[in-house]
Amino acid sequence: MNFDQADALNEAIRAIGLRHRELAVAALAPFGIHPGHKLLLLELDAAGACTQAQLATASGYEPPTITLSVRQLEAAGLVARRQSPTDGRATIVELTEMGRALLPKLRDAWRHVAEQTVAGLTTVSFEQLTAVLSDLAASLSADDAAGGGLPRYVTRLNRP
């Protein structure tokens, strides 16, 4: 790959990331959450109550980020925290009723972001695009220095 090809690829990925984040922020703002919060809420819905360390592993976020995000979600009434009964160092996080009630609206908003994202596709199908992006995410994570493999949010890309 020459420089011009590399530059075109890197700029396209950067532009997609920026625009997608703009769409995501706008879609989630009415709920008082941002894209990182969305990921944590959906993870708690899928996995049930779990420790902040488990949330960090599942999301790929650093523990300090998880701590701040969980505090923000707790302040908004969407999650509750409690000490682990078996490990005094661990904090368990779970959805509140308000958090559970938000999930259908959150999923609708996220679906809308995806629809906006692919609305202009003309050269590939949704399935082709999803396959290519899943491959790209996997290839970028393959050399993960931590050696922990793909975070759960990346492996979900391959679900039907």
Side-chain angles (χ1 to χ4, degrees):
M1 169 181 323
N2 66 37
F3 174 80
D4 290 337
Q5 292 170 320
D7 190 46
L9 173 66
N10 289 328
E11 284 304 311
I13 291 170
R14 185 185 72 77
I16 291 165
L18 290 171
R19 182 63 182 131
H20 188 265
R21 179 143 180 93
E22 288 172 5
L23 292 172
V25 167
L28 299 175
F31 310 118
I33 63 172
H34 59 74
H37 290 153
K38 183 261 339 160
L39 180 64
L40 298 179
L41 292 170
L42 291 179
E43 179 59 33
L44 287 168
D45 183 48
C50 59
T51 66
Q52 288 186 180
Q54 290 168 322
L55 275 178
T57 299
S59 66
Y61 293 153
E62 294 294 322
T65 301
I66 293 295
T67 300
L68 177 61
S69 293
V70 167
R71 284 183 186 152
Q72 292 168 337
L73 290 169
E74 184 179 40
L78 301 173
V79 302
R81 292 185 301 163
R82 60 183 161 81
Q83 284 302 121
S84 167
T86 58
D87 182 351
R89 300 167 296 163
T91 301
I92 306 290
V93 183
E94 60 190 331
L95 289 171
T96 62
E97 287 304 315
M98 184 186 290
R100 280 190 217 34
L102 178 64
L103 290 171
K105 295 174 190 171
L106 184 127
R107 284 189 173 93
D108 286 343
W110 203 238
R111 208 173 3 260
H112 183 68
V113 168
E115 289 166 354
Q116 287 178 290
T117 301
V118 299
L121 283 182
T122 58
T123 58
V124 297
S125 71
F126 172 79
E127 290 76 15
Q128 291 169 319
L129 177 64
T130 302
V132 168
L133 293 175
S134 295
D135 285 349
L136 181 59
S139 72
L140 290 172
S141 299
D143 293 330
D144 185 341
L150 296 174
R152 200 172 310 158
Y153 74 93
V154 174
T155 59
R156 284 194 186 133
L157 290 173
N158 294 317
R159 286 191 308 192

